Amino acid sequence: MTDFDHALVLGKFYPPHAGHHHLIRTAAARSRRTTVTVLASSAESIPVADRVAWLRAEHAGTPGLAVLGDVDDHEMDFHSDAVWELHMGVARAVLARRAIRDGDPSAAAVDAVFSSEAYGDEMAKRLGARHVLVDLDRAAHPVSGTAVRA
């Protein structure tokens, strides 16, 4: 029995680390389907295809899990509705690709957004979903992509 039908986990995964894997496993354990969306900037040094491949390898065999990637070069401004909608357009396009790949174009909607970030509330609201906050304080896995890159 799962809590959710379709969960979204979205991030840069630049690079993937133990905290990301914890987040993905938590979402997959509570959802029938989980879409992990890797969004990269074209200016980043690790290609999105590599990050997608690493996550697919780490989570191979996880029921209902799909890892897809895309480039999102829009500016970051959490106070701008217009900028939010640009980012949400990329996320929605990835979710649509998952649904089409699975043979059910009507199945793109998510009912949960799993994140370890405060922005998850707004993202979930814009997708008509519930936000499930996982380890915001990084207590379970005290690591970040910024720290790993440094």
Side-chain angles (χ1 to χ4, degrees), residues 84-129:
W84 259 106
E85 280 309 308
L86 292 171
H87 292 290
M88 295 309 301
V90 176
R92 287 183 185 105
V94 173
L95 290 167
R97 284 194 351 247
R98 160 86 195 260
I100 291 166
R101 189 201 75 175
D102 289 351
D104 184 2
S106 68
V110 297
D111 55 345
V113 172
F114 283 74
S115 83
S116 298
E117 304 290 345
Y119 67 71
D121 286 335
E122 182 65 22
M123 181 180 300
K125 182 178 101 177
R126 289 172 183 269
L127 291 169

mmCIF file of all heavy atoms in Angstrom, residues 84-129:
data_model
loop_
_atom_site.group_PDB
_atom_site.id
_atom_site.type_symbol
_atom_site.label_atom_id
_atom_site.label_comp_id
_atom_site.label_asym_id
_atom_site.label_seq_id
_atom_site.Cartn_x
_atom_site.Cartn_y
_atom_site.Cartn_z
ATOM 1 N N TRP A 84 8.835 31.466 -11.900
ATOM 2 C CA TRP A 84 8.332 30.191 -11.404
ATOM 3 C C TRP A 84 7.661 29.419 -12.539
ATOM 4 O O TRP A 84 7.881 28.218 -12.710
ATOM 5 C CB TRP A 84 7.316 30.407 -10.271
ATOM 6 C CG TRP A 84 7.885 30.200 -8.909
ATOM 7 C CD1 TRP A 84 8.200 31.171 -7.997
ATOM 8 C CD2 TRP A 84 8.206 28.962 -8.287
ATOM 9 N NE1 TRP A 84 8.697 30.604 -6.853
ATOM 10 C CE2 TRP A 84 8.707 29.239 -7.004
ATOM 11 C CE3 TRP A 84 8.115 27.636 -8.692
ATOM 12 C CZ2 TRP A 84 9.113 28.246 -6.119
ATOM 13 C CZ3 TRP A 84 8.520 26.642 -7.804
ATOM 14 C CH2 TRP A 84 9.014 26.958 -6.545
ATOM 15 N N GLU A 85 6.838 30.093 -13.303
ATOM 16 C CA GLU A 85 6.107 29.404 -14.372
ATOM 17 C C GLU A 85 7.030 28.899 -15.474
ATOM 18 O O GLU A 85 6.764 27.864 -16.083
ATOM 19 C CB GLU A 85 4.994 30.286 -14.927
ATOM 20 C CG GLU A 85 3.753 30.282 -14.043
ATOM 21 C CD GLU A 85 3.255 28.876 -13.692
ATOM 22 O OE1 GLU A 85 3.055 28.046 -14.606
ATOM 23 O OE2 GLU A 85 3.068 28.596 -12.500
ATOM 24 N N LEU A 86 8.131 29.590 -15.730
ATOM 25 C CA LEU A 86 9.113 29.080 -16.690
ATOM 26 C C LEU A 86 9.699 27.751 -16.209
ATOM 27 O O LEU A 86 9.789 26.783 -16.970
ATOM 28 C CB LEU A 86 10.234 30.102 -16.912
ATOM 29 C CG LEU A 86 9.836 31.382 -17.633
ATOM 30 C CD1 LEU A 86 10.974 32.391 -17.583
ATOM 31 C CD2 LEU A 86 9.432 31.087 -19.072
ATOM 32 N N HIS A 87 10.083 27.707 -14.940
ATOM 33 C CA HIS A 87 10.636 26.468 -14.373
ATOM 34 C C HIS A 87 9.579 25.362 -14.328
ATOM 35 O O HIS A 87 9.878 24.202 -14.630
ATOM 36 C CB HIS A 87 11.200 26.709 -12.971
ATOM 37 C CG HIS A 87 12.414 27.569 -12.962
ATOM 38 N ND1 HIS A 87 13.632 27.153 -13.456
ATOM 39 C CD2 HIS A 87 12.603 28.834 -12.509
ATOM 40 C CE1 HIS A 87 14.512 28.122 -13.310
ATOM 41 N NE2 HIS A 87 13.917 29.156 -12.749
ATOM 42 N N MET A 88 8.371 25.733 -13.979
ATOM 43 C CA MET A 88 7.302 24.731 -13.909
ATOM 44 C C MET A 88 6.987 24.176 -15.303
ATOM 45 O O MET A 88 6.635 23.002 -15.438
ATOM 46 C CB MET A 88 6.040 25.330 -13.268
ATOM 47 C CG MET A 88 6.229 25.722 -11.806
ATOM 48 S SD MET A 88 6.926 24.431 -10.749
ATOM 49 C CE MET A 88 5.704 23.156 -10.943
ATOM 50 N N GLY A 89 7.140 25.000 -16.321
ATOM 51 C CA GLY A 89 6.942 24.517 -17.686
ATOM 52 C C GLY A 89 7.919 23.411 -18.042
ATOM 53 O O GLY A 89 7.554 22.408 -18.668
ATOM 54 N N VAL A 90 9.176 23.558 -17.615
ATOM 55 C CA VAL A 90 10.172 22.512 -17.864
ATOM 56 C C VAL A 90 9.794 21.251 -17.083
ATOM 57 O O VAL A 90 9.825 20.141 -17.620
ATOM 58 C CB VAL A 90 11.594 22.997 -17.495
ATOM 59 C CG1 VAL A 90 12.610 21.868 -17.666
ATOM 60 C CG2 VAL A 90 11.989 24.201 -18.335
ATOM 61 N N ALA A 91 9.433 21.415 -15.818
ATOM 62 C CA ALA A 91 9.051 20.254 -14.999
ATOM 63 C C ALA A 91 7.834 19.545 -15.580
ATOM 64 O O ALA A 91 7.801 18.305 -15.667
ATOM 65 C CB ALA A 91 8.773 20.696 -13.563
ATOM 66 N N ARG A 92 6.841 20.309 -16.004
ATOM 67 C CA ARG A 92 5.638 19.701 -16.595
ATOM 68 C C ARG A 92 5.962 18.967 -17.894
ATOM 69 O O ARG A 92 5.380 17.921 -18.189
ATOM 70 C CB ARG A 92 4.578 20.765 -16.837
ATOM 71 C CG ARG A 92 3.905 21.270 -15.575
ATOM 72 C CD ARG A 92 2.798 22.282 -15.888
ATOM 73 N NE ARG A 92 2.254 22.838 -14.682
ATOM 74 C CZ ARG A 92 2.512 24.074 -14.238
ATOM 75 N NH1 ARG A 92 3.306 24.878 -14.923
ATOM 76 N NH2 ARG A 92 1.966 24.499 -13.110
ATOM 77 N N ALA A 93 6.894 19.512 -18.676
ATOM 78 C CA ALA A 93 7.291 18.852 -19.929
ATOM 79 C C ALA A 93 7.948 17.501 -19.645
ATOM 80 O O ALA A 93 7.705 16.518 -20.345
ATOM 81 C CB ALA A 93 8.236 19.753 -20.729
ATOM 82 N N VAL A 94 8.771 17.440 -18.602
ATOM 83 C CA VAL A 94 9.406 16.169 -18.236
ATOM 84 C C VAL A 94 8.343 15.184 -17.756
ATOM 85 O O VAL A 94 8.362 14.004 -18.142
ATOM 86 C CB VAL A 94 10.503 16.374 -17.169
ATOM 87 C CG1 VAL A 94 11.032 15.039 -16.677
ATOM 88 C CG2 VAL A 94 11.635 17.222 -17.732
ATOM 89 N N LEU A 95 7.392 15.632 -16.951
ATOM 90 C CA LEU A 95 6.321 14.754 -16.490
ATOM 91 C C LEU A 95 5.486 14.246 -17.666
ATOM 92 O O LEU A 95 5.077 13.080 -17.687
ATOM 93 C CB LEU A 95 5.441 15.477 -15.472
ATOM 94 C CG LEU A 95 6.102 15.740 -14.117
ATOM 95 C CD1 LEU A 95 5.274 16.734 -13.308
ATOM 96 C CD2 LEU A 95 6.308 14.439 -13.361
ATOM 97 N N ALA A 96 5.255 15.090 -18.644
ATOM 98 C CA ALA A 96 4.514 14.662 -19.842
ATOM 99 C C ALA A 96 5.300 13.616 -20.620
ATOM 100 O O ALA A 96 4.729 12.634 -21.113
ATOM 101 C CB ALA A 96 4.209 15.869 -20.726
ATOM 102 N N ARG A 97 6.608 13.795 -20.730
ATOM 103 C CA ARG A 97 7.441 12.790 -21.404
ATOM 104 C C ARG A 97 7.354 11.446 -20.699
ATOM 105 O O ARG A 97 7.286 10.398 -21.338
ATOM 106 C CB ARG A 97 8.898 13.249 -21.474
ATOM 107 C CG ARG A 97 9.128 14.291 -22.528
ATOM 108 C CD ARG A 97 10.594 14.550 -22.890
ATOM 109 N NE ARG A 97 11.618 13.960 -22.097
ATOM 110 C CZ ARG A 97 12.467 14.647 -21.313
ATOM 111 N NH1 ARG A 97 12.384 15.955 -21.223
ATOM 112 N NH2 ARG A 97 13.399 14.032 -20.631
ATOM 113 N N ARG A 98 7.341 11.467 -19.369
ATOM 114 C CA ARG A 98 7.210 10.211 -18.614
ATOM 115 C C ARG A 98 5.879 9.546 -18.938
ATOM 116 O O ARG A 98 5.806 8.339 -19.187
ATOM 117 C CB ARG A 98 7.320 10.483 -17.108
ATOM 118 C CG ARG A 98 6.739 9.398 -16.179
ATOM 119 C CD ARG A 98 7.672 8.311 -15.868
ATOM 120 N NE ARG A 98 7.157 7.093 -15.296
ATOM 121 C CZ ARG A 98 7.185 6.760 -14.012
ATOM 122 N NH1 ARG A 98 7.626 7.594 -13.107
ATOM 123 N NH2 ARG A 98 6.786 5.564 -13.623
ATOM 124 N N ALA A 99 4.810 10.314 -18.924
ATOM 125 C CA ALA A 99 3.482 9.750 -19.180
ATOM 126 C C ALA A 99 3.391 9.174 -20.591
ATOM 127 O O ALA A 99 2.852 8.078 -20.793
ATOM 128 C CB ALA A 99 2.416 10.825 -18.952
ATOM 129 N N ILE A 100 3.930 9.886 -21.556
ATOM 130 C CA ILE A 100 3.908 9.404 -22.942
ATOM 131 C C ILE A 100 4.752 8.139 -23.060
ATOM 132 O O ILE A 100 4.348 7.159 -23.685
ATOM 133 C CB ILE A 100 4.382 10.502 -23.905
ATOM 134 C CG1 ILE A 100 3.343 11.622 -23.950
ATOM 135 C CG2 ILE A 100 4.655 9.940 -25.297
ATOM 136 C CD1 ILE A 100 3.832 12.898 -24.585
ATOM 137 N N ARG A 101 5.925 8.140 -22.436
ATOM 138 C CA ARG A 101 6.798 6.960 -22.452
ATOM 139 C C ARG A 101 6.098 5.740 -21.869
ATOM 140 O O ARG A 101 6.248 4.616 -22.339
ATOM 141 C CB ARG A 101 8.075 7.244 -21.672
ATOM 142 C CG ARG A 101 9.126 6.152 -21.807
ATOM 143 C CD ARG A 101 10.108 6.198 -20.688
ATOM 144 N NE ARG A 101 9.451 5.663 -19.499
ATOM 145 C CZ ARG A 101 10.050 5.467 -18.349
ATOM 146 N NH1 ARG A 101 11.307 5.802 -18.202
ATOM 147 N NH2 ARG A 101 9.413 4.962 -17.317
ATOM 148 N N ASP A 102 5.294 5.975 -20.827
ATOM 149 C CA ASP A 102 4.573 4.886 -20.170
ATOM 150 C C ASP A 102 3.304 4.492 -20.920
ATOM 151 O O ASP A 102 2.602 3.577 -20.502
ATOM 152 C CB ASP A 102 4.209 5.270 -18.737
ATOM 153 C CG ASP A 102 5.420 5.320 -17.812
ATOM 154 O OD1 ASP A 102 6.525 4.898 -18.228
ATOM 155 O OD2 ASP A 102 5.259 5.791 -16.667
ATOM 156 N N GLY A 103 2.992 5.211 -22.012
ATOM 157 C CA GLY A 103 1.826 4.861 -22.817
ATOM 158 C C GLY A 103 0.515 5.415 -22.319
ATOM 159 O O GLY A 103 -0.550 5.000 -22.773
ATOM 160 N N ASP A 104 0.561 6.373 -21.391
ATOM 161 C CA ASP A 104 -0.666 6.969 -20.869
ATOM 162 C C ASP A 104 -0.476 8.473 -20.725
ATOM 163 O O ASP A 104 -0.144 8.969 -19.639
ATOM 164 C CB ASP A 104 -1.028 6.346 -19.518
ATOM 165 C CG ASP A 104 -2.354 6.851 -18.975
ATOM 166 O OD1 ASP A 104 -3.030 7.654 -19.653
ATOM 167 O OD2 ASP A 104 -2.716 6.435 -17.859
ATOM 168 N N PRO A 105 -0.664 9.223 -21.816
ATOM 169 C CA PRO A 105 -0.440 10.676 -21.768
ATOM 170 C C PRO A 105 -1.251 11.412 -20.703
ATOM 171 O O PRO A 105 -0.895 12.512 -20.314
ATOM 172 C CB PRO A 105 -0.829 11.141 -23.176
ATOM 173 C CG PRO A 105 -0.653 9.932 -24.021
ATOM 174 C CD PRO A 105 -1.013 8.766 -23.149
ATOM 175 N N SER A 106 -2.311 10.788 -20.213
ATOM 176 C CA SER A 106 -3.120 11.448 -19.185
ATOM 177 C C SER A 106 -2.528 11.288 -17.788
ATOM 178 O O SER A 106 -3.047 11.857 -16.830
ATOM 179 C CB SER A 106 -4.544 10.878 -19.207
ATOM 180 O OG SER A 106 -4.533 9.521 -18.769
ATOM 181 N N ALA A 107 -1.439 10.547 -17.649
ATOM 182 C CA ALA A 107 -0.890 10.224 -16.329
ATOM 183 C C ALA A 107 0.265 11.123 -15.905
ATOM 184 O O ALA A 107 1.074 10.728 -15.078
ATOM 185 C CB ALA A 107 -0.462 8.761 -16.305
ATOM 186 N N ALA A 108 0.341 12.328 -16.433
ATOM 187 C CA ALA A 108 1.454 13.220 -16.086
ATOM 188 C C ALA A 108 1.276 13.881 -14.720
ATOM 189 O O ALA A 108 2.264 14.249 -14.089
ATOM 190 C CB ALA A 108 1.624 14.288 -17.167
ATOM 191 N N ALA A 109 0.052 14.024 -14.262
ATOM 192 C CA ALA A 109 -0.197 14.725 -13.000
ATOM 193 C C ALA A 109 0.445 13.996 -11.827
ATOM 194 O O ALA A 109 0.524 12.766 -11.808
ATOM 195 C CB ALA A 109 -1.698 14.865 -12.763
ATOM 196 N N VAL A 110 0.918 14.775 -10.858
ATOM 197 C CA VAL A 110 1.473 14.212 -9.636
ATOM 198 C C VAL A 110 0.589 14.601 -8.456
ATOM 199 O O VAL A 110 -0.070 15.643 -8.483
ATOM 200 C CB VAL A 110 2.926 14.672 -9.380
ATOM 201 C CG1 VAL A 110 3.850 14.178 -10.483
ATOM 202 C CG2 VAL A 110 3.035 16.171 -9.242
ATOM 203 N N ASP A 111 0.568 13.750 -7.450
ATOM 204 C CA ASP A 111 -0.170 14.095 -6.235
ATOM 205 C C ASP A 111 0.761 14.355 -5.061
ATOM 206 O O ASP A 111 0.316 14.696 -3.975
ATOM 207 C CB ASP A 111 -1.227 13.043 -5.895
ATOM 208 C CG ASP A 111 -0.696 11.624 -5.770
ATOM 209 O OD1 ASP A 111 0.430 11.352 -6.215
ATOM 210 O OD2 ASP A 111 -1.439 10.768 -5.236
ATOM 211 N N ALA A 112 2.076 14.227 -5.295
ATOM 212 C CA ALA A 112 3.049 14.529 -4.237
ATOM 213 C C ALA A 112 4.339 15.042 -4.852
ATOM 214 O O ALA A 112 4.762 14.580 -5.913
ATOM 215 C CB ALA A 112 3.331 13.289 -3.400
ATOM 216 N N VAL A 113 4.943 15.992 -4.163
ATOM 217 C CA VAL A 113 6.281 16.478 -4.486
ATOM 218 C C VAL A 113 7.129 16.216 -3.252
ATOM 219 O O VAL A 113 6.832 16.718 -2.170
ATOM 220 C CB VAL A 113 6.289 17.985 -4.821
ATOM 221 C CG1 VAL A 113 7.710 18.505 -4.959
ATOM 222 C CG2 VAL A 113 5.483 18.260 -6.084
ATOM 223 N N PHE A 114 8.152 15.391 -3.413
ATOM 224 C CA PHE A 114 9.078 15.102 -2.328
ATOM 225 C C PHE A 114 10.306 15.979 -2.515
ATOM 226 O O PHE A 114 10.886 16.005 -3.603
ATOM 227 C CB PHE A 114 9.505 13.632 -2.349
ATOM 228 C CG PHE A 114 8.471 12.683 -1.804
ATOM 229 C CD1 PHE A 114 7.331 12.381 -2.531
ATOM 230 C CD2 PHE A 114 8.642 12.086 -0.562
ATOM 231 C CE1 PHE A 114 6.378 11.505 -2.043
ATOM 232 C CE2 PHE A 114 7.698 11.211 -0.059
ATOM 233 C CZ PHE A 114 6.559 10.918 -0.791
ATOM 234 N N SER A 115 10.695 16.688 -1.464
ATOM 235 C CA SER A 115 11.884 17.525 -1.552
ATOM 236 C C SER A 115 12.502 17.687 -0.171
ATOM 237 O O SER A 115 11.886 17.356 0.836
ATOM 238 C CB SER A 115 11.565 18.899 -2.149
ATOM 239 O OG SER A 115 11.071 19.774 -1.162
ATOM 240 N N SER A 116 13.703 18.209 -0.177
ATOM 241 C CA SER A 116 14.392 18.578 1.060
ATOM 242 C C SER A 116 14.626 20.079 1.078
ATOM 243 O O SER A 116 15.584 20.562 1.685
ATOM 244 C CB SER A 116 15.729 17.837 1.156
ATOM 245 O OG SER A 116 15.520 16.454 1.200
ATOM 246 N N GLU A 117 13.761 20.794 0.393
ATOM 247 C CA GLU A 117 13.921 22.242 0.219
ATOM 248 C C GLU A 117 12.607 22.963 0.520
ATOM 249 O O GLU A 117 11.529 22.447 0.231
ATOM 250 C CB GLU A 117 14.323 22.561 -1.227
ATOM 251 C CG GLU A 117 15.567 21.848 -1.712
ATOM 252 C CD GLU A 117 16.852 22.350 -1.065
ATOM 253 O OE1 GLU A 117 16.845 23.434 -0.453
ATOM 254 O OE2 GLU A 117 17.861 21.635 -1.163
ATOM 255 N N ALA A 118 12.713 24.175 1.028
ATOM 256 C CA ALA A 118 11.531 24.975 1.332
ATOM 257 C C ALA A 118 10.728 25.298 0.073
ATOM 258 O O ALA A 118 9.507 25.437 0.132
ATOM 259 C CB ALA A 118 11.936 26.257 2.049
ATOM 260 N N TYR A 119 11.388 25.387 -1.094
ATOM 261 C CA TYR A 119 10.657 25.715 -2.321
ATOM 262 C C TYR A 119 9.670 24.618 -2.718
ATOM 263 O O TYR A 119 8.807 24.833 -3.567
ATOM 264 C CB TYR A 119 11.602 26.012 -3.479
ATOM 265 C CG TYR A 119 12.424 24.839 -3.992
ATOM 266 C CD1 TYR A 119 11.841 23.794 -4.695
ATOM 267 C CD2 TYR A 119 13.792 24.801 -3.783
ATOM 268 C CE1 TYR A 119 12.591 22.725 -5.159
ATOM 269 C CE2 TYR A 119 14.560 23.743 -4.248
ATOM 270 C CZ TYR A 119 13.956 22.707 -4.936
ATOM 271 O OH TYR A 119 14.692 21.663 -5.397
ATOM 272 N N GLY A 120 9.765 23.459 -2.103
ATOM 273 C CA GLY A 120 8.847 22.368 -2.419
ATOM 274 C C GLY A 120 7.391 22.709 -2.167
ATOM 275 O O GLY A 120 6.503 22.231 -2.869
ATOM 276 N N ASP A 121 7.128 23.567 -1.167
ATOM 277 C CA ASP A 121 5.748 23.988 -0.890
ATOM 278 C C ASP A 121 5.137 24.670 -2.108
ATOM 279 O O ASP A 121 4.028 24.352 -2.532
ATOM 280 C CB ASP A 121 5.689 24.949 0.299
ATOM 281 C CG ASP A 121 5.910 24.265 1.637
ATOM 282 O OD1 ASP A 121 5.645 23.052 1.754
ATOM 283 O OD2 ASP A 121 6.346 24.968 2.572
ATOM 284 N N GLU A 122 5.865 25.625 -2.673
ATOM 285 C CA GLU A 122 5.364 26.385 -3.819
ATOM 286 C C GLU A 122 5.244 25.481 -5.053
ATOM 287 O O GLU A 122 4.270 25.566 -5.801
ATOM 288 C CB GLU A 122 6.262 27.579 -4.120
ATOM 289 C CG GLU A 122 5.774 28.447 -5.263
ATOM 290 C CD GLU A 122 4.453 29.158 -4.991
ATOM 291 O OE1 GLU A 122 4.075 29.345 -3.810
ATOM 292 O OE2 GLU A 122 3.785 29.546 -5.970
ATOM 293 N N MET A 123 6.223 24.640 -5.269
ATOM 294 C CA MET A 123 6.186 23.745 -6.422
ATOM 295 C C MET A 123 4.975 22.820 -6.334
ATOM 296 O O MET A 123 4.243 22.642 -7.305
ATOM 297 C CB MET A 123 7.461 22.920 -6.515
ATOM 298 C CG MET A 123 7.489 21.997 -7.710
ATOM 299 S SD MET A 123 8.999 21.050 -7.787
ATOM 300 C CE MET A 123 10.175 22.378 -7.911
ATOM 301 N N ALA A 124 4.758 22.236 -5.165
ATOM 302 C CA ALA A 124 3.617 21.341 -4.981
ATOM 303 C C ALA A 124 2.307 22.081 -5.218
ATOM 304 O O ALA A 124 1.401 21.561 -5.881
ATOM 305 C CB ALA A 124 3.656 20.723 -3.588
ATOM 306 N N LYS A 125 2.207 23.293 -4.686
ATOM 307 C CA LYS A 125 0.989 24.094 -4.877
ATOM 308 C C LYS A 125 0.728 24.317 -6.362
ATOM 309 O O LYS A 125 -0.402 24.160 -6.838
ATOM 310 C CB LYS A 125 1.126 25.437 -4.151
ATOM 311 C CG LYS A 125 -0.101 26.320 -4.255
ATOM 312 C CD LYS A 125 0.098 27.586 -3.466
ATOM 313 C CE LYS A 125 0.450 28.674 -4.445
ATOM 314 N NZ LYS A 125 0.608 29.987 -3.856
ATOM 315 N N ARG A 126 1.759 24.637 -7.115
ATOM 316 C CA ARG A 126 1.604 24.899 -8.543
ATOM 317 C C ARG A 126 1.251 23.645 -9.336
ATOM 318 O O ARG A 126 0.719 23.728 -10.431
ATOM 319 C CB ARG A 126 2.859 25.560 -9.103
ATOM 320 C CG ARG A 126 3.022 26.995 -8.627
ATOM 321 C CD ARG A 126 4.360 27.598 -9.023
ATOM 322 N NE ARG A 126 4.497 28.935 -8.497
ATOM 323 C CZ ARG A 126 4.134 30.051 -9.129
ATOM 324 N NH1 ARG A 126 3.622 29.987 -10.339
ATOM 325 N NH2 ARG A 126 4.292 31.225 -8.560
ATOM 326 N N LEU A 127 1.551 22.485 -8.781
ATOM 327 C CA LEU A 127 1.209 21.224 -9.441
ATOM 328 C C LEU A 127 -0.066 20.597 -8.880
ATOM 329 O O LEU A 127 -0.464 19.511 -9.296
ATOM 330 C CB LEU A 127 2.373 20.228 -9.298
ATOM 331 C CG LEU A 127 3.632 20.576 -10.085
ATOM 332 C CD1 LEU A 127 4.792 19.676 -9.655
ATOM 333 C CD2 LEU A 127 3.374 20.469 -11.583
ATOM 334 N N GLY A 128 -0.697 21.275 -7.927
ATOM 335 C CA GLY A 128 -1.911 20.733 -7.311
ATOM 336 C C GLY A 128 -1.624 19.484 -6.500
ATOM 337 O O GLY A 128 -2.447 18.567 -6.445
ATOM 338 N N ALA A 129 -0.453 19.447 -5.861
ATOM 339 C CA ALA A 129 0.000 18.258 -5.143
ATOM 340 C C ALA A 129 0.323 18.601 -3.695
ATOM 341 O O ALA A 129 0.326 19.771 -3.300
ATOM 342 C CB ALA A 129 1.238 17.688 -5.836
#
